[in-house]
Amino acid sequence: MTTDDGPLLEPATVAAIARLRLNLRRRIEGRFVGGHRAKGFGTSLDFADYREYAPGDDLRLLDPNAHARLGRLLIRLFQAEDAAALRVVVDVSGSMRAKDRTARRIAASLVAIGTSGGDRVRVLLAGREVDAGPWYAGGAGYPAAERRLRTMPPAAGRGDLDTALRRADGEGPRGPVVLVSDLLTDDWPAIVSLLAAGRGDATLVHVLARTELEPDLDGDVRLVDVESGEQVEVAVSGTTLAAFAARRDAWLDDVSRQCGARGIAYVRHLDDEPLDHLLTALLPQLGLVA
Amino acid sequence: MRLAAPAGLAALVLALPLALWYLLKARRPRVEVSSTFLWRRHGESVTAAVPWQRLRPDATFWLILAAVVALALALARPWQPVPPTLGEHTVIVVDASASMLADEGGPSRLELARRQATALVEGMAAGQTVSVIEAGLRARVVQSSATDPGTVLRALDGVRPGQGPADLAGAFALVESVLQPSQPTLTYLFTDREIGPVDAAAAPAGLGVVPVGTGLGNLAVTQLQATPTGVETAQVYASVRNFGREPAEALLRIATDDAELASRTVEIAARETTEIVLDVNVSGRELIRGTVEDTAGERSTEPADVVNALAVDDTALAVASGTRDVTALVAGPGNVFVESALASVGGVTVTTAEAVPEDLTGVDLLVVDRVPAPEEIAVPTLLLAATVLPDGIAAAPAEQLPAVTYQDPDHPLLQGVDLSEIAIASARPARGEDIGEAGAPSTAATVTTGSVVMETVVGGPVGSLVLAGRIAGQPVVYVGFDLLASNLPLDVSWPVFTSNAVSWLAGGVDSPALRVGEAYRVDLPAGVPAAEARSPSGITTLLDATRPLLRPGEVGVWQLAWQGPAELVDAAPPAPVLAVNAVVEEGDLLAPPPEESAPVIVGAGEAPPAGRRVVGPVLLVVLLALLVVDWLAAHRRDLRVPRLRRRRRPA
């Protein structure tokens, strides 16, 4: 069963975000030449260092000024710039059902931004099993990713974010990781720690539904967790709702604080907020895109 | 408390599902949420394996349980036994005395009694009978053993208010007459006064008393007397009593049928009597009317503020005897006290003689002072220690220092006269066939011997000292002691007594002032066989020698008219006019009311079922109140989660 509700992004939105580029804080380790600083020396225009000439080196790299000054044959070395290998880990557990489409749209947006900037993007779907998917690059990358995201099964069951994050960081060259999740799980601190432990830039797009944070409940109800099946009886009263709000706010602050302490770029997005604002305002503020 | 329908208690079984509702885990509506992560601390994780939970009763549980109990009790129709209101036979006695005419802020006390009795009768069931007895001046059975409520209600409407005291003893006797031994009977008395000991002794067994009315103030003219002081003048003596709790200002008006003669405003302290003496001009014999009214104008109708609640005693009547020229002949050795006293009475011409002449032509009043009286009395005669008495009166041997222990307070001779302090050296008490020997207890006695009808006016242990009556149709006053052997001539009462004697003997018409219900003996003139008494309302009563007593039942002027052959009637002196006034005691509307008591079934046979006071409707109200409280308690305002704080910048 798929959740194909039509294109995830409007063509106008795709065109608008195509002008954005990934903006990474750390050096990457790419396999392809790109526009982001990478380890080692490469063929960018940014001077990096000198090295003694060895037979076989490209003579065009000899620095005549250095020879004139030092009387030695030195060649110039330049910064390596590789294409970033962006991993987007999308939580597709049962708890993400309410904001499933939002999460997919965010993932599709990041694919559009990455592929249009010459970078490569991989979307890992963290469901019961991790669906890693291919790397998307170039002009054909977004359509393929969008098609995959649009037709994937609906969010359900427990999500294995742990495995997804490990695979995202461990497989392939060093690169940024963006986690799109609601973190509505008891082991969310472990998830955040794992995200921070990656080799590349880490970003958490905390996706939540308005109804999750401001539920409209009345009377005595039995809440059923769609992901775990857990049931909790709640007698809704003013006291109960006030306590829920306090716990909600404390949790959100805690997530934000832990992300900040671990160097994870954190942004919260609610399902009823415009996606454009996230992509064109919030993510640039984070420094993820520019 | 008993239950009329115990099966209604089966509704208590509704408490079981209520308890089960709280014992079984509530099947709360399922709401799927993304995660219970944020709710886990505020709810209770449950497992569906165990269907019950510990009973945790809350306010709603107790309210609904109380409502279930109230419903069960209401269905069981609890009732309290109360004394039955109506028996198989119920006798209703209604006090119809003058005090029951008191205005209780609209209805009279009698009307209030009627209403209460009506409420009683409205619960009359098939097979029950009700009798109604009116306890007025003369008790009467208004309705006996009526079987339908309509008849009883009409009988209650037929209870007539009286203007005199209630004949409770007579009413109780009538109750006994309507009782059937085999019929369980309840008897009610609706009255505004305590039952006196004499009437209480005659009360039927099991009498229930229903008090009627409240304490009210009242003004009354308790006495009115007009004494001629001249040919066209009279002195009016009136006493006005304030029966209320507060002082009152009253206006007393003295008037005849044609004109107002005088008026005076008086302040009367609470529970006090004020006496007023006024000089008025009257010509001849006239009816004097004394009326009192409250001068304060409109007041509130609160019982505490009512000053004059009874109208029947606001007016008193008296007949001014009027004077005529009287020629008085004093036969005797001479008595300056008698002669001067007679001369001081307006219109009296005094002549003297040493003995009673045989020809008494022109003599209107003969005074026999210490000389023999004529054998036959031909003119009104005052016997003052006459040495020889006329036929019909005999005198006992002289008694030394007789004491005066009896005075007839209502006799015209003693109006304004008090002889209790008179010292008499010796007296010859009258003796007649009906009067005991000297030394007999001083009781009123009547000397009746053929044409002699004399009544004791003043008496003592030795016998009658002053008699008044008629001998051969002529008024006669017998004084059994020598005036000069007493201090009566020196007493202030002497000229008044003399004036009263002149009026009574020769003043023309005997016009006594009576109270309602007071017996009046009609003295038929010689040869006149009967007299007709006409009440103020026009009801006539025939009196004759066999029934000479009249008990006037109405306040007002009663006219007597001789009945018989024309020549005898024309020759007879004018028939008296009776001024009948209200009974003073009936005006005391603050008299203690009776203590309420429930009647007791009297008579054999199966007692009627006890009365019931059903409690069920109260329980239904309680039930409804509990449900309303529960609904109000359960009503909640809309609850919303406090809104999420907006972040200014991403972290």
Side-chain angles (χ1 to χ4, degrees):
Chain A
M1 188 177 70
T2 64
T3 57
D4 190 351
D5 295 327
L8 295 177
L9 298 176
E10 298 299 321
T13 305
V14 176
I17 61 177
R19 291 192 289 273
L20 298 175
R21 294 290 181 271
L22 287 179
N23 182 32
L24 305 180
R25 300 186 300 276
R26 300 186 200 178
R27 291 175 183 271
I28 63 172
E29 189 181 282
R31 293 180 182 163
F32 303 91
V33 173
H36 304 283
R37 286 206 307 171
K39 277 187 171 179
F41 303 107
T43 58
S44 72
L45 298 179
D46 296 320
F47 173 79
D49 200 356
Y50 286 105
R51 181 171 61 79
E52 294 284 342
Y53 174 79
D57 290 336
D58 188 348
L59 292 178
R60 289 176 293 181
L61 297 179
L62 283 175
D63 187 344
N65 293 329
H67 181 262
R69 257 195 334 269
L70 301 176
R72 292 155 55 194
L73 292 176
L74 298 173
I75 60 171
R76 285 193 292 253
L77 298 176
F78 296 92
Q79 297 277 2
E81 286 187 345
D82 295 338
L86 172 65
R87 285 84 158 171
V88 180
V89 177
V90 182
D91 183 354
V92 293
S93 63
S95 64
M96 291 294 291
R97 184 181 300 176
K99 50 271 183 188
D100 196 7
R101 184 168 174 82
T102 301
R104 296 172 197 226
R105 293 183 71 202
I106 294 173
S109 301
L110 292 173
V111 171
I113 294 171
T115 55
S116 66
D119 296 311
R120 298 190 303 145
V121 184
R122 192 182 192 189
V123 179
L124 295 89
L125 302 178
R128 288 194 189 88
E129 294 180 355
V130 178
D131 178 8
W135 289 96
Y136 303 102
Y142 171 75
E146 194 272 347
R147 186 165 50 250
R148 174 177 171 233
L149 289 170
R150 178 160 40 87
T151 59
M152 73 183 199
R158 289 189 180 275
D160 190 358
L161 283 175
D162 185 274
T163 302
L165 288 173
R166 290 183 190 281
R167 288 187 63 175
D169 185 65
E171 295 179 0
R174 178 190 300 173
V177 176
V178 176
L179 173 61
V180 181
S181 175
D182 56 10
L183 292 186
L184 286 173
T185 176
D186 291 313
D187 56 354
W188 69 267
I191 301 299
V192 169
S193 296
L194 191 59
L195 178 62
R199 295 174 293 166
D201 295 344
T203 303
L204 171 63
V205 180
H206 197 182
V207 179
L208 294 163
R210 177 75 64 181
T211 56
E212 292 171 339
L213 302 180
E214 298 172 1
D216 185 14
L217 297 174
D218 191 15
D220 296 343
V221 294
R222 181 188 295 251
L223 303 177
V224 181
D225 190 319
V226 296
E227 186 172 314
S228 65
E230 180 187 24
Q231 298 179 24
V232 175
E233 287 186 345
V234 176
V236 179
S237 65
T239 305
T240 307
L241 296 178
F244 168 82
R247 178 173 164 80
R248 170 199 68 192
D249 294 341
W251 172 68
L252 291 173
D253 289 343
D254 202 12
V255 172
S256 172
R257 189 168 49 252
Q258 291 207 24
C259 287
R262 286 169 170 73
I264 300 173
Y266 173 85
V267 64
R268 185 189 311 144
H269 179 75
L270 300 184
D271 61 341
D272 59 354
E273 293 175 345
L275 185 62
D276 292 348
H277 181 67
L278 170 68
L279 299 174
T280 59
L282 298 183
L283 292 184
Q285 287 181 13
L286 277 182
L288 176 64
V289 300
Chain B
M1 191 172 295
R2 305 174 193 178
L3 301 176
L9 291 177
L12 286 172
V13 73
L14 292 174
L16 288 178
L18 174 66
L20 281 175
W21 182 268
Y22 276 77
L23 284 171
L24 294 174
K25 287 181 180 175
R27 297 178 68 83
R28 303 182 179 195
R30 290 166 55 93
V31 178
E32 284 192 340
V33 294
S34 301
S35 174
T36 55
F37 166 66
L38 294 177
W39 288 99
R40 209 170 295 125
R41 187 176 297 175
H42 310 295
E44 182 180 334
S45 293
V46 296
T47 61
V50 178
W52 57 82
Q53 60 187 358
R54 188 163 61 92
L55 178 66
R56 297 192 190 89
D58 54 8
T60 298
F61 174 83
W62 293 117
L63 282 173
I64 296 179
L65 182 63
V68 168
V69 172
L71 175 64
L73 284 177
L75 291 175
R77 295 173 58 198
W79 59 276
Q80 275 183 319
V82 297
T85 56
L86 287 178
E88 189 175 319
H89 181 208
T90 304
V91 181
I92 295 175
V93 181
V94 181
D95 182 346
S97 62
S99 62
M100 295 291 279
L101 290 169
D103 184 357
E104 292 280 347
S108 64
R109 287 181 177 179
L110 182 64
E111 179 58 30
L112 293 180
R114 215 179 261 129
R115 291 177 185 176
Q116 291 181 62
T118 299
L120 199 66
V121 171
E122 283 174 349
M124 190 174 170
Q128 291 178 321
T129 60
V130 177
S131 300
V132 178
I133 293 175
E134 173 191 295
L137 187 62
R138 297 180 193 80
R140 70 182 183 105
V141 177
V142 181
Q143 179 64 49
S144 174
S145 299
T147 56
D148 80 285
T151 304
V152 178
L153 295 178
R154 283 190 293 276
L156 288 172
D157 288 338
V159 172
R160 298 190 304 263
Q163 296 181 347
D167 180 15
L168 287 182
F172 294 154
L174 291 176
V175 170
E176 297 293 339
S177 72
V178 300
L179 290 182
Q180 298 293 332
S182 61
Q183 253 186 341
T185 302
L186 289 176
T187 305
Y188 289 89
L189 170 63
F190 294 83
T191 182
D192 61 345
R193 301 217 172 195
E194 285 181 326
I195 304 175
V198 174
D199 293 330
L207 177 70
V209 180
V210 180
V212 179
T214 58
L216 300 169
N218 185 40
L219 294 173
V221 180
T222 56
Q223 192 172 359
L224 187 69
Q225 183 181 357
T227 304
T229 55
V231 177
E232 291 186 345
T233 58
Q235 192 173 71
V236 173
Y237 165 85
S239 61
V240 179
R241 182 165 179 80
N242 175 14
F243 286 104
R245 294 188 185 90
E246 300 294 331
E249 185 181 85
L251 174 65
L252 176 69
R253 299 180 193 276
I254 304 297
T256 62
D257 290 339
D258 300 322
E260 181 171 305
L261 301 179
S263 65
R264 182 173 296 178
T265 301
V266 291
E267 295 271 349
I268 313 172
R271 311 292 293 173
E272 293 291 334
T273 300
T274 294
E275 297 173 346
I276 305 144
V277 179
L278 298 169
D279 293 317
V280 298
N281 295 323
V282 292
S283 56
R285 195 178 84 179
E286 287 203 70
L287 180 68
I288 305 293
R289 197 181 301 271
T291 305
V292 67
E293 59 190 56
D294 172 27
T295 61
E298 285 194 19
R299 292 173 188 252
S300 76
T301 57
E302 290 296 316
D305 296 332
V306 174
V307 174
N308 192 12
L310 187 64
V312 71
D313 57 4
D314 289 349
T315 299
L317 301 169
V319 177
S321 304
T323 58
R324 61 186 178 93
D325 292 335
V326 174
T327 300
L329 173 64
V330 180
N335 191 327
V336 63
F337 297 108
V338 174
E339 293 162 14
S340 60
L342 286 171
S344 69
V345 179
V348 176
T349 304
V350 181
T351 60
T352 59
E354 291 184 354
V356 178
E358 288 187 7
D359 183 9
L360 293 174
T361 304
V363 174
D364 300 311
L365 173 63
L366 174 63
V367 180
V368 179
D369 180 25
R370 292 168 290 161
V371 294
E375 283 186 20
E376 293 182 359
I377 300 297
V379 296
T381 303
L382 173 61
L383 301 170
L384 299 174
T387 53
V388 175
L389 296 175
D391 292 339
I393 300 180
E399 296 284 347
Q400 303 301 314
L401 301 175
V404 175
T405 58
Y406 168 76
Q407 298 178 82
D408 184 347
D410 296 326
H411 200 281
L413 281 179
L414 297 184
Q415 294 299 315
V417 173
D418 182 7
L419 302 181
S420 59
E421 301 296 323
I422 297 301
I424 303 171
S426 70
R428 294 181 65 194
R431 167 180 286 178
E433 290 182 0
D434 296 325
I435 299 180
E437 297 293 332
S442 59
T443 58
T446 302
V447 175
T448 306
T449 307
S451 63
V452 177
V453 181
M454 301 291 285
E455 289 183 328
T456 301
V457 179
V458 179
V462 300
S464 301
L465 300 174
V466 176
L467 292 174
R470 290 185 181 272
I471 296 178
Q474 294 294 334
V476 175
V477 173
Y478 168 79
V479 178
F481 54 90
D482 184 357
L483 289 179
L484 299 180
S486 73
N487 63 350
L488 176 58
L490 303 177
D491 192 86
V492 65
S493 300
W494 170 240
V496 181
F497 178 83
T498 305
S499 173
N500 291 344
V502 170
S503 295
W504 192 79
L505 290 166
V509 181
D510 176 10
S511 303
L514 302 174
R515 303 285 178 186
V516 173
E518 182 180 346
Y520 173 75
R521 180 188 291 278
V522 176
D523 293 328
L524 298 172
V528 175
E532 181 184 83
R534 180 179 295 275
S535 74
S537 61
I539 299 173
T540 58
T541 305
L542 193 64
L543 306 163
D544 56 26
T546 60
R547 292 183 304 163
L549 291 180
L550 173 68
R551 291 182 187 275
E554 295 178 39
V555 170
V557 177
W558 287 66
Q559 301 278 356
L560 291 179
W562 306 128
Q563 303 294 311
E567 61 274 16
L568 295 176
V569 170
D570 292 341
V577 172
L578 306 180
V580 179
N581 295 317
V583 175
V584 174
E585 291 73 22
E586 292 295 319
D588 188 2
L589 302 181
L590 292 176
E595 194 172 318
E596 183 173 5
S597 62
V600 177
I601 292 279
V602 170
E606 188 176 330
R612 295 185 177 191
R613 183 179 299 141
V614 179
V615 185
V618 173
L619 293 171
L620 288 175
V621 172
V622 170
L623 167 65
L624 187 61
L626 288 170
L627 293 177
V628 169
V629 169
D630 181 59
W631 180 84
L632 290 174
H635 184 68
R636 294 191 182 92
R637 295 180 307 152
D638 288 338
L639 298 172
R640 296 196 183 278
V641 178
R643 295 187 65 83
L644 183 66
R645 295 196 306 267
R646 290 194 173 275
R647 292 175 59 89
R648 287 176 179 269
R649 291 172 56 84

